[in-house]
Structures are given as structure tokens and as C-alpha cells.
PDB file of all heavy atoms in Angstrom:
ATOM      1  N   TYR L1211      34.275 118.960   2.889  1.00  0.00           N
ATOM      2  CA  TYR L1211      32.888 118.786   2.285  1.00  0.00           C
ATOM      3  C   TYR L1211      32.330 120.171   1.846  1.00  0.00           C
ATOM      4  O   TYR L1211      31.677 120.221   0.761  1.00  0.00           O
ATOM      5  CB  TYR L1211      32.002 118.179   3.466  1.00  0.00           C
ATOM      6  CG  TYR L1211      30.614 118.076   3.101  1.00  0.00           C
ATOM      7  CD1 TYR L1211      30.276 117.021   2.281  1.00  0.00           C
ATOM      8  CD2 TYR L1211      29.695 118.759   3.734  1.00  0.00           C
ATOM      9  CE1 TYR L1211      28.988 116.671   2.029  1.00  0.00           C
ATOM     10  CE2 TYR L1211      28.300 118.578   3.461  1.00  0.00           C
ATOM     11  CZ  TYR L1211      28.001 117.546   2.552  1.00  0.00           C
ATOM     12  OH  TYR L1211      26.612 117.275   2.255  1.00  0.00           O
ATOM     13  N   LEU L1212      32.439 121.209   2.547  1.00  0.00           N
ATOM     14  CA  LEU L1212      31.979 122.478   2.224  1.00  0.00           C
ATOM     15  C   LEU L1212      32.644 123.076   1.005  1.00  0.00           C
ATOM     16  O   LEU L1212      32.095 123.831   0.268  1.00  0.00           O
ATOM     17  CB  LEU L1212      32.111 123.455   3.384  1.00  0.00           C
ATOM     18  CG  LEU L1212      31.290 123.042   4.677  1.00  0.00           C
ATOM     19  CD1 LEU L1212      31.676 124.092   5.715  1.00  0.00           C
ATOM     20  CD2 LEU L1212      29.830 123.150   4.266  1.00  0.00           C
ATOM     21  N   GLU L1213      33.881 122.676   0.782  1.00  0.00           N
ATOM     22  CA  GLU L1213      34.566 123.052  -0.433  1.00  0.00           C
ATOM     23  C   GLU L1213      34.489 122.121  -1.728  1.00  0.00           C
ATOM     24  O   GLU L1213      35.079 122.369  -2.674  1.00  0.00           O
ATOM     25  CB  GLU L1213      36.129 123.362  -0.023  1.00  0.00           C
ATOM     26  CG  GLU L1213      36.257 124.530   0.715  1.00  0.00           C
ATOM     27  CD  GLU L1213      36.196 125.839  -0.064  1.00  0.00           C
ATOM     28  OE1 GLU L1213      36.093 125.793  -1.350  1.00  0.00           O
ATOM     29  OE2 GLU L1213      36.064 126.936   0.559  1.00  0.00           O
ATOM     30  N   ALA L1214      33.725 121.070  -1.438  1.00  0.00           N
ATOM     31  CA  ALA L1214      33.607 120.018  -2.436  1.00  0.00           C
ATOM     32  C   ALA L1214      35.033 119.581  -2.943  1.00  0.00           C
ATOM     33  O   ALA L1214      35.237 119.415  -4.161  1.00  0.00           O
ATOM     34  CB  ALA L1214      32.770 120.471  -3.644  1.00  0.00           C
ATOM     35  N   MET L1215      35.975 119.200  -2.104  1.00  0.00           N
ATOM     36  CA  MET L1215      37.228 118.677  -2.373  1.00  0.00           C
ATOM     37  C   MET L1215      37.186 117.118  -2.036  1.00  0.00           C
ATOM     38  O   MET L1215      36.792 116.635  -0.986  1.00  0.00           O
ATOM     39  CB  MET L1215      38.297 119.409  -1.510  1.00  0.00           C
ATOM     40  CG  MET L1215      38.396 120.799  -1.760  1.00  0.00           C
ATOM     41  SD  MET L1215      40.105 121.437  -1.209  1.00  0.00           S
ATOM     42  CE  MET L1215      39.859 121.146   0.587  1.00  0.00           C
ATOM     43  N   PHE L1216      37.713 116.305  -3.185  1.00  0.00           N
ATOM     44  CA  PHE L1216      37.621 114.910  -3.149  1.00  0.00           C
ATOM     45  C   PHE L1216      39.107 114.415  -3.087  1.00  0.00           C
ATOM     46  O   PHE L1216      39.257 113.208  -3.245  1.00  0.00           O
ATOM     47  CB  PHE L1216      36.783 114.334  -4.174  1.00  0.00           C
ATOM     48  CG  PHE L1216      35.410 114.987  -4.231  1.00  0.00           C
ATOM     49  CD1 PHE L1216      35.025 115.967  -5.133  1.00  0.00           C
ATOM     50  CD2 PHE L1216      34.458 114.295  -3.473  1.00  0.00           C
ATOM     51  CE1 PHE L1216      33.759 116.401  -5.196  1.00  0.00           C
ATOM     52  CE2 PHE L1216      33.243 114.762  -3.451  1.00  0.00           C
ATOM     53  CZ  PHE L1216      32.737 115.801  -4.436  1.00  0.00           C
ATOM     54  N   GLU L1217      40.048 115.253  -3.192  1.00  0.00           N
ATOM     55  CA  GLU L1217      41.450 114.720  -3.350  1.00  0.00           C
ATOM     56  C   GLU L1217      41.974 113.822  -2.292  1.00  0.00           C
ATOM     57  O   GLU L1217      42.652 112.904  -2.538  1.00  0.00           O
ATOM     58  CB  GLU L1217      42.352 115.879  -3.460  1.00  0.00           C
ATOM     59  CG  GLU L1217      42.363 116.677  -4.835  1.00  0.00           C
ATOM     60  CD  GLU L1217      41.191 117.668  -4.998  1.00  0.00           C
ATOM     61  OE1 GLU L1217      40.477 117.738  -4.031  1.00  0.00           O
ATOM     62  OE2 GLU L1217      41.194 118.298  -6.010  1.00  0.00           O
ATOM     63  N   ASP L1218      41.486 114.009  -1.039  1.00  0.00           N
ATOM     64  CA  ASP L1218      41.902 113.062  -0.019  1.00  0.00           C
ATOM     65  C   ASP L1218      40.976 111.905   0.003  1.00  0.00           C
ATOM     66  O   ASP L1218      39.821 111.984   0.502  1.00  0.00           O
ATOM     67  CB  ASP L1218      41.862 113.881   1.421  1.00  0.00           C
ATOM     68  CG  ASP L1218      42.452 113.051   2.558  1.00  0.00           C
ATOM     69  OD1 ASP L1218      42.535 111.841   2.447  1.00  0.00           O
ATOM     70  OD2 ASP L1218      42.782 113.716   3.528  1.00  0.00           O
ATOM     71  N   ARG L1219      41.502 110.748  -0.438  1.00  0.00           N
ATOM     72  CA  ARG L1219      40.622 109.678  -0.712  1.00  0.00           C
ATOM     73  C   ARG L1219      40.514 108.726   0.582  1.00  0.00           C
ATOM     74  O   ARG L1219      39.754 107.769   0.531  1.00  0.00           O
ATOM     75  CB  ARG L1219      41.174 108.786  -1.842  1.00  0.00           C
ATOM     76  CG  ARG L1219      41.027 109.469  -3.195  1.00  0.00           C
ATOM     77  CD  ARG L1219      41.942 108.789  -4.344  1.00  0.00           C
ATOM     78  NE  ARG L1219      41.660 109.424  -5.565  1.00  0.00           N
ATOM     79  CZ  ARG L1219      42.176 110.574  -5.997  1.00  0.00           C
ATOM     80  NH1 ARG L1219      42.833 111.373  -5.187  1.00  0.00           N
ATOM     81  NH2 ARG L1219      41.910 110.994  -7.289  1.00  0.00           N
ATOM     82  N   SER L1220      41.267 109.110   1.629  1.00  0.00           N
ATOM     83  CA  SER L1220      41.233 108.222   2.811  1.00  0.00           C
ATOM     84  C   SER L1220      40.421 108.907   3.937  1.00  0.00           C
ATOM     85  O   SER L1220      40.164 108.222   4.901  1.00  0.00           O
ATOM     86  CB  SER L1220      42.641 107.906   3.260  1.00  0.00           C
ATOM     87  OG  SER L1220      43.247 109.066   3.519  1.00  0.00           O
ATOM     88  N   ILE L1221      40.208 110.267   3.869  1.00  0.00           N
ATOM     89  CA  ILE L1221      39.660 110.944   5.069  1.00  0.00           C
ATOM     90  C   ILE L1221      38.122 110.569   5.308  1.00  0.00           C
ATOM     91  O   ILE L1221      37.352 110.149   4.304  1.00  0.00           O
ATOM     92  CB  ILE L1221      39.711 112.398   4.795  1.00  0.00           C
ATOM     93  CG1 ILE L1221      39.547 113.234   6.035  1.00  0.00           C
ATOM     94  CG2 ILE L1221      38.870 112.905   3.628  1.00  0.00           C
ATOM     95  CD1 ILE L1221      39.906 114.679   5.980  1.00  0.00           C
ATOM     96  N   THR L1222      37.647 110.572   6.508  1.00  0.00           N
ATOM     97  CA  THR L1222      36.302 110.462   6.793  1.00  0.00           C
ATOM     98  C   THR L1222      35.855 111.604   7.790  1.00  0.00           C
ATOM     99  O   THR L1222      36.816 112.324   8.240  1.00  0.00           O
ATOM    100  CB  THR L1222      35.883 109.180   7.466  1.00  0.00           C
ATOM    101  OG1 THR L1222      36.363 109.146   8.937  1.00  0.00           O
ATOM    102  CG2 THR L1222      36.411 107.987   6.696  1.00  0.00           C
ATOM    103  N   PHE L1223      34.647 111.700   8.156  1.00  0.00           N
ATOM    104  CA  PHE L1223      34.236 112.707   9.090  1.00  0.00           C
ATOM    105  C   PHE L1223      34.536 112.345  10.605  1.00  0.00           C
ATOM    106  O   PHE L1223      34.182 113.155  11.369  1.00  0.00           O
ATOM    107  CB  PHE L1223      32.617 112.906   8.963  1.00  0.00           C
ATOM    108  CG  PHE L1223      32.277 113.756   7.897  1.00  0.00           C
ATOM    109  CD1 PHE L1223      32.059 113.378   6.569  1.00  0.00           C
ATOM    110  CD2 PHE L1223      32.020 115.028   8.066  1.00  0.00           C
ATOM    111  CE1 PHE L1223      31.628 114.215   5.483  1.00  0.00           C
ATOM    112  CE2 PHE L1223      31.477 116.010   7.106  1.00  0.00           C
ATOM    113  CZ  PHE L1223      31.443 115.491   5.818  1.00  0.00           C
ATOM    114  N   TYR L1224      35.259 111.290  10.822  1.00  0.00           N
ATOM    115  CA  TYR L1224      35.507 110.804  12.051  1.00  0.00           C
ATOM    116  C   TYR L1224      37.064 110.751  12.322  1.00  0.00           C
ATOM    117  O   TYR L1224      37.824 110.230  11.420  1.00  0.00           O
ATOM    118  CB  TYR L1224      35.013 109.372  12.461  1.00  0.00           C
ATOM    119  CG  TYR L1224      33.416 109.465  12.399  1.00  0.00           C
ATOM    120  CD1 TYR L1224      32.721 109.066  11.226  1.00  0.00           C
ATOM    121  CD2 TYR L1224      32.705 109.772  13.604  1.00  0.00           C
ATOM    122  CE1 TYR L1224      31.341 109.191  11.260  1.00  0.00           C
ATOM    123  CE2 TYR L1224      31.325 109.726  13.520  1.00  0.00           C
ATOM    124  CZ  TYR L1224      30.623 109.396  12.357  1.00  0.00           C
ATOM    125  OH  TYR L1224      29.326 109.431  12.335  1.00  0.00           O
ATOM    126  N   GLN L1225      37.550 111.213  13.395  1.00  0.00           N
ATOM    127  CA  GLN L1225      38.934 111.204  13.734  1.00  0.00           C
ATOM    128  C   GLN L1225      39.385 109.730  13.901  1.00  0.00           C
ATOM    129  O   GLN L1225      38.612 108.923  14.513  1.00  0.00           O
ATOM    130  CB  GLN L1225      39.288 111.972  15.065  1.00  0.00           C
ATOM    131  CG  GLN L1225      39.013 113.536  14.935  1.00  0.00           C
ATOM    132  CD  GLN L1225      40.118 114.203  14.359  1.00  0.00           C
ATOM    133  OE1 GLN L1225      41.096 113.531  13.898  1.00  0.00           O
ATOM    134  NE2 GLN L1225      40.132 115.446  14.450  1.00  0.00           N
ATOM    135  N   ASN L1226      40.460 109.460  13.305  1.00  0.00           N
ATOM    136  CA  ASN L1226      41.172 107.978  13.454  1.00  0.00           C
ATOM    137  C   ASN L1226      40.360 106.978  12.675  1.00  0.00           C
ATOM    138  O   ASN L1226      40.707 105.790  12.994  1.00  0.00           O
ATOM    139  CB  ASN L1226      41.224 107.712  14.889  1.00  0.00           C
ATOM    140  CG  ASN L1226      42.186 108.622  15.543  1.00  0.00           C
ATOM    141  OD1 ASN L1226      43.136 109.190  15.162  1.00  0.00           O
ATOM    142  ND2 ASN L1226      41.775 108.944  16.836  1.00  0.00           N
ATOM    143  N   ILE L1227      39.281 107.285  11.926  1.00  0.00           N
ATOM    144  CA  ILE L1227      38.631 106.379  11.037  1.00  0.00           C
ATOM    145  C   ILE L1227      38.994 106.716   9.558  1.00  0.00           C
ATOM    146  O   ILE L1227      38.677 107.876   9.209  1.00  0.00           O
ATOM    147  CB  ILE L1227      37.216 106.296  11.297  1.00  0.00           C
ATOM    148  CG1 ILE L1227      36.949 105.701  12.761  1.00  0.00           C
ATOM    149  CG2 ILE L1227      36.470 105.304  10.322  1.00  0.00           C
ATOM    150  CD1 ILE L1227      35.534 105.602  13.037  1.00  0.00           C
ATOM    151  N   TYR L1228      39.441 105.751   8.812  1.00  0.00           N
ATOM    152  CA  TYR L1228      39.863 106.077   7.407  1.00  0.00           C
ATOM    153  C   TYR L1228      39.262 105.148   6.432  1.00  0.00           C
ATOM    154  O   TYR L1228      38.788 104.080   6.760  1.00  0.00           O
ATOM    155  CB  TYR L1228      41.364 105.978   7.331  1.00  0.00           C
ATOM    156  CG  TYR L1228      42.117 106.666   8.408  1.00  0.00           C
ATOM    157  CD1 TYR L1228      42.484 106.102   9.557  1.00  0.00           C
ATOM    158  CD2 TYR L1228      42.545 108.047   8.238  1.00  0.00           C
ATOM    159  CE1 TYR L1228      43.189 106.737  10.620  1.00  0.00           C
ATOM    160  CE2 TYR L1228      43.213 108.822   9.185  1.00  0.00           C
ATOM    161  CZ  TYR L1228      43.474 108.179  10.325  1.00  0.00           C
ATOM    162  OH  TYR L1228      44.238 108.859  11.251  1.00  0.00           O
ATOM    163  N   ARG L1229      39.218 105.650   5.165  1.00  0.00           N
ATOM    164  CA  ARG L1229      38.913 104.746   4.013  1.00  0.00           C
ATOM    165  C   ARG L1229      40.153 104.131   3.561  1.00  0.00           C
ATOM    166  O   ARG L1229      41.216 104.710   3.538  1.00  0.00           O
ATOM    167  CB  ARG L1229      38.327 105.516   2.946  1.00  0.00           C
ATOM    168  CG  ARG L1229      36.955 106.066   3.098  1.00  0.00           C
ATOM    169  CD  ARG L1229      36.574 107.079   1.993  1.00  0.00           C
ATOM    170  NE  ARG L1229      35.282 107.437   1.947  1.00  0.00           N
ATOM    171  CZ  ARG L1229      34.753 108.334   2.714  1.00  0.00           C
ATOM    172  NH1 ARG L1229      35.443 109.132   3.593  1.00  0.00           N
ATOM    173  NH2 ARG L1229      33.444 108.551   2.693  1.00  0.00           N
ATOM    174  N   LEU L1230      40.027 102.842   3.119  1.00  0.00           N
ATOM    175  CA  LEU L1230      41.014 102.205   2.415  1.00  0.00           C
ATOM    176  C   LEU L1230      40.686 102.705   1.017  1.00  0.00           C
ATOM    177  O   LEU L1230      39.770 102.420   0.288  1.00  0.00           O
ATOM    178  CB  LEU L1230      41.045 100.693   2.488  1.00  0.00           C
ATOM    179  CG  LEU L1230      42.250  99.886   1.741  1.00  0.00           C
ATOM    180  CD1 LEU L1230      43.621 100.356   2.179  1.00  0.00           C
ATOM    181  CD2 LEU L1230      41.987  98.462   1.833  1.00  0.00           C
ATOM    182  N   ALA L1231      41.715 103.550   0.412  1.00  0.00           N
ATOM    183  CA  ALA L1231      41.432 104.062  -0.874  1.00  0.00           C
ATOM    184  C   ALA L1231      41.284 103.000  -1.942  1.00  0.00           C
ATOM    185  O   ALA L1231      42.065 101.821  -1.811  1.00  0.00           O
ATOM    186  CB  ALA L1231      42.581 105.083  -1.340  1.00  0.00           C
ATOM    187  N   PRO L1232      40.685 103.172  -3.093  1.00  0.00           N
ATOM    188  CA  PRO L1232      40.742 102.270  -4.274  1.00  0.00           C
ATOM    189  C   PRO L1232      42.156 101.945  -4.664  1.00  0.00           C
ATOM    190  O   PRO L1232      43.015 102.829  -4.630  1.00  0.00           O
ATOM    191  CB  PRO L1232      39.895 103.079  -5.253  1.00  0.00           C
ATOM    192  CG  PRO L1232      39.013 104.076  -4.492  1.00  0.00           C
ATOM    193  CD  PRO L1232      39.801 104.402  -3.380  1.00  0.00           C
ATOM    194  N   SER L1233      42.219 100.670  -5.163  1.00  0.00           N
ATOM    195  CA  SER L1233      43.628 100.271  -5.715  1.00  0.00           C
ATOM    196  C   SER L1233      44.718 100.213  -4.700  1.00  0.00           C
ATOM    197  O   SER L1233      45.856 100.257  -5.021  1.00  0.00           O
ATOM    198  CB  SER L1233      44.076 101.239  -6.831  1.00  0.00           C
ATOM    199  OG  SER L1233      43.170 101.319  -7.873  1.00  0.00           O
ATOM    200  N   HIS L1234      44.307 100.235  -3.420  1.00  0.00           N
ATOM    201  CA  HIS L1234      45.295  99.977  -2.320  1.00  0.00           C
ATOM    202  C   HIS L1234      45.135  98.754  -1.482  1.00  0.00           C
ATOM    203  O   HIS L1234      44.062  98.152  -1.508  1.00  0.00           O
ATOM    204  CB  HIS L1234      45.197 101.264  -1.403  1.00  0.00           C
ATOM    205  CG  HIS L1234      45.687 102.551  -1.883  1.00  0.00           C
ATOM    206  ND1 HIS L1234      45.213 103.257  -3.027  1.00  0.00           N
ATOM    207  CD2 HIS L1234      46.894 103.205  -1.515  1.00  0.00           C
ATOM    208  CE1 HIS L1234      46.005 104.269  -3.218  1.00  0.00           C
ATOM    209  NE2 HIS L1234      46.953 104.298  -2.359  1.00  0.00           N
ATOM    210  N   CYS L1235      46.233  98.429  -1.024  1.00  0.00           N
ATOM    211  CA  CYS L1235      46.309  97.312  -0.108  1.00  0.00           C
ATOM    212  C   CYS L1235      47.043  97.667   1.129  1.00  0.00           C
ATOM    213  O   CYS L1235      47.772  98.605   1.249  1.00  0.00           O
ATOM    214  CB  CYS L1235      46.962  96.031  -0.682  1.00  0.00           C
ATOM    215  SG  CYS L1235      48.631  96.287  -1.068  1.00  0.00           S
ATOM    216  N   LEU L1236      46.622  96.877   2.222  1.00  0.00           N
ATOM    217  CA  LEU L1236      47.172  97.372   3.621  1.00  0.00           C
ATOM    218  C   LEU L1236      47.632  96.106   4.355  1.00  0.00           C
ATOM    219  O   LEU L1236      46.880  95.078   4.430  1.00  0.00           O
ATOM    220  CB  LEU L1236      46.001  98.053   4.225  1.00  0.00           C
ATOM    221  CG  LEU L1236      46.327  98.475   5.702  1.00  0.00           C
ATOM    222  CD1 LEU L1236      47.489  99.505   5.947  1.00  0.00           C
ATOM    223  CD2 LEU L1236      44.998  99.118   6.318  1.00  0.00           C
ATOM    224  N   THR L1237      48.847  96.267   4.951  1.00  0.00           N
ATOM    225  CA  THR L1237      49.310  95.093   5.815  1.00  0.00           C
ATOM    226  C   THR L1237      49.604  95.702   7.208  1.00  0.00           C
ATOM    227  O   THR L1237      50.310  96.612   7.320  1.00  0.00           O
ATOM    228  CB  THR L1237      50.686  94.529   5.176  1.00  0.00           C
ATOM    229  OG1 THR L1237      50.476  94.113   3.883  1.00  0.00           O
ATOM    230  CG2 THR L1237      51.158  93.419   6.054  1.00  0.00           C
ATOM    231  N   VAL L1238      49.048  94.965   8.129  1.00  0.00           N
ATOM    232  CA  VAL L1238      49.129  95.384   9.563  1.00  0.00           C
ATOM    233  C   VAL L1238      49.588  94.351  10.539  1.00  0.00           C
ATOM    234  O   VAL L1238      49.102  93.246  10.363  1.00  0.00           O
ATOM    235  CB  VAL L1238      47.690  95.898  10.111  1.00  0.00           C
ATOM    236  CG1 VAL L1238      47.842  96.434  11.480  1.00  0.00           C
ATOM    237  CG2 VAL L1238      47.197  96.947   9.114  1.00  0.00           C
ATOM    238  N   SER L1239      50.557  94.573  11.222  1.00  0.00           N
ATOM    239  CA  SER L1239      50.871  93.671  12.387  1.00  0.00           C
ATOM    240  C   SER L1239      51.245  94.473  13.583  1.00  0.00           C
ATOM    241  O   SER L1239      51.140  95.689  13.631  1.00  0.00           O
ATOM    242  CB  SER L1239      52.209  92.883  11.923  1.00  0.00           C
ATOM    243  OG  SER L1239      53.414  93.832  11.847  1.00  0.00           O
ATOM    244  N   SER L1240      51.698  93.858  14.598  1.00  0.00           N
ATOM    245  CA  SER L1240      51.919  94.538  15.917  1.00  0.00           C
ATOM    246  C   SER L1240      53.036  95.575  15.761  1.00  0.00           C
ATOM    247  O   SER L1240      53.131  96.509  16.457  1.00  0.00           O
ATOM    248  CB  SER L1240      52.311  93.479  16.979  1.00  0.00           C
ATOM    249  OG  SER L1240      53.474  92.758  16.611  1.00  0.00           O
ATOM    250  N   HIS L1241      53.922  95.372  14.798  1.00  0.00           N
ATOM    251  CA  HIS L1241      55.012  96.355  14.548  1.00  0.00           C
ATOM    252  C   HIS L1241      55.156  97.048  13.130  1.00  0.00           C
ATOM    253  O   HIS L1241      56.054  97.629  12.769  1.00  0.00           O
ATOM    254  CB  HIS L1241      56.418  95.575  14.770  1.00  0.00           C
ATOM    255  CG  HIS L1241      56.632  94.538  13.839  1.00  0.00           C
ATOM    256  ND1 HIS L1241      55.909  93.148  13.947  1.00  0.00           N
ATOM    257  CD2 HIS L1241      57.227  94.284  12.646  1.00  0.00           C
ATOM    258  CE1 HIS L1241      56.345  92.388  12.945  1.00  0.00           C
ATOM    259  NE2 HIS L1241      57.044  93.066  12.080  1.00  0.00           N
ATOM    260  N   LYS L1242      54.114  96.801  12.315  1.00  0.00           N
ATOM    261  CA  LYS L1242      54.051  97.309  10.922  1.00  0.00           C
ATOM    262  C   LYS L1242      52.751  97.757  10.619  1.00  0.00           C
ATOM    263  O   LYS L1242      51.672  97.138  10.838  1.00  0.00           O
ATOM    264  CB  LYS L1242      54.611  96.204  10.061  1.00  0.00           C
ATOM    265  CG  LYS L1242      54.675  96.595   8.604  1.00  0.00           C
ATOM    266  CD  LYS L1242      55.306  95.468   7.669  1.00  0.00           C
ATOM    267  CE  LYS L1242      54.514  94.182   7.699  1.00  0.00           C
ATOM    268  NZ  LYS L1242      55.095  93.268   6.869  1.00  0.00           N
ATOM    269  N   PHE L1243      52.721  98.934   9.829  1.00  0.00           N
ATOM    270  CA  PHE L1243      51.502  99.428   9.255  1.00  0.00           C
ATOM    271  C   PHE L1243      51.961  99.919   7.775  1.00  0.00           C
ATOM    272  O   PHE L1243      52.539 100.892   7.652  1.00  0.00           O
ATOM    273  CB  PHE L1243      50.885 100.555   9.962  1.00  0.00           C
ATOM    274  CG  PHE L1243      49.692 101.038   9.367  1.00  0.00           C
ATOM    275  CD1 PHE L1243      48.380 100.694   9.779  1.00  0.00           C
ATOM    276  CD2 PHE L1243      49.682 102.068   8.307  1.00  0.00           C
ATOM    277  CE1 PHE L1243      47.214 101.154   9.101  1.00  0.00           C
ATOM    278  CE2 PHE L1243      48.450 102.666   7.785  1.00  0.00           C
ATOM    279  CZ  PHE L1243      47.359 102.146   8.186  1.00  0.00           C
ATOM    280  N   ARG L1244      51.660  99.087   6.722  1.00  0.00           N
ATOM    281  CA  ARG L1244      52.245  99.495   5.485  1.00  0.00           C
ATOM    282  C   ARG L1244      50.995  99.533   4.406  1.00  0.00           C
ATOM    283  O   ARG L1244      50.270  98.541   4.134  1.00  0.00           O
ATOM    284  CB  ARG L1244      53.147  98.422   4.880  1.00  0.00           C
ATOM    285  CG  ARG L1244      53.719  98.619   3.463  1.00  0.00           C
ATOM    286  CD  ARG L1244      54.803  97.581   3.073  1.00  0.00           C
ATOM    287  NE  ARG L1244      55.855  97.703   3.953  1.00  0.00           N
ATOM    288  CZ  ARG L1244      56.885  96.815   4.005  1.00  0.00           C
ATOM    289  NH1 ARG L1244      56.741  95.699   3.171  1.00  0.00           N
ATOM    290  NH2 ARG L1244      57.869  96.978   4.780  1.00  0.00           N
ATOM    291  N   LEU L1245      50.797 100.761   3.914  1.00  0.00           N
ATOM    292  CA  LEU L1245      49.756 101.135   2.993  1.00  0.00           C
ATOM    293  C   LEU L1245      50.362 101.205   1.617  1.00  0.00           C
ATOM    294  O   LEU L1245      51.346 101.946   1.518  1.00  0.00           O
ATOM    295  CB  LEU L1245      48.968 102.486   3.359  1.00  0.00           C
ATOM    296  CG  LEU L1245      47.908 102.844   2.505  1.00  0.00           C
ATOM    297  CD1 LEU L1245      46.672 101.744   2.550  1.00  0.00           C
ATOM    298  CD2 LEU L1245      47.376 104.164   2.911  1.00  0.00           C
TER     299      LEU L1245
END
């Protein structure tokens, strides 16, 4: 934020909370996490 960098499209100001980036899909199950 202080460096005005936008390249990381999934990051947020909170640990372990993410954005789903534009043009992306996500599949989640008990044994799979596929972005």
C-alpha cells in the first residue's frame, strides 16, 4: 500500500483472507484447493 504496488491481486490487509482475482475460478473440497 505504501509503495502503491497492485501486482498481487489476491492479497488483503488481513492474514489468511484473500481476494479471488478477476478472471479466476476456485474449486474447494476437503482434499483439494484448485485456483
Side-chain angles (χ1 to χ4, degrees):
Y1211 180 71
L1212 296 176
E1213 288 287 345
M1215 292 197 299
F1216 302 100
E1217 283 82 357
D1218 189 338
R1219 291 162 174 79
S1220 63
I1221 195 170
T1222 73
F1223 275 86
Y1224 296 92
Q1225 294 278 8
N1226 299 321
I1227 296 179
Y1228 306 92
R1229 291 170 164 83
L1230 180 58
S1233 302
H1234 280 71
C1235 59
L1236 175 62
T1237 306
V1238 182
S1239 69
S1240 60
H1241 59 278
K1242 178 174 64 177
F1243 181 93
R1244 180 175 295 168
L1245 183 64

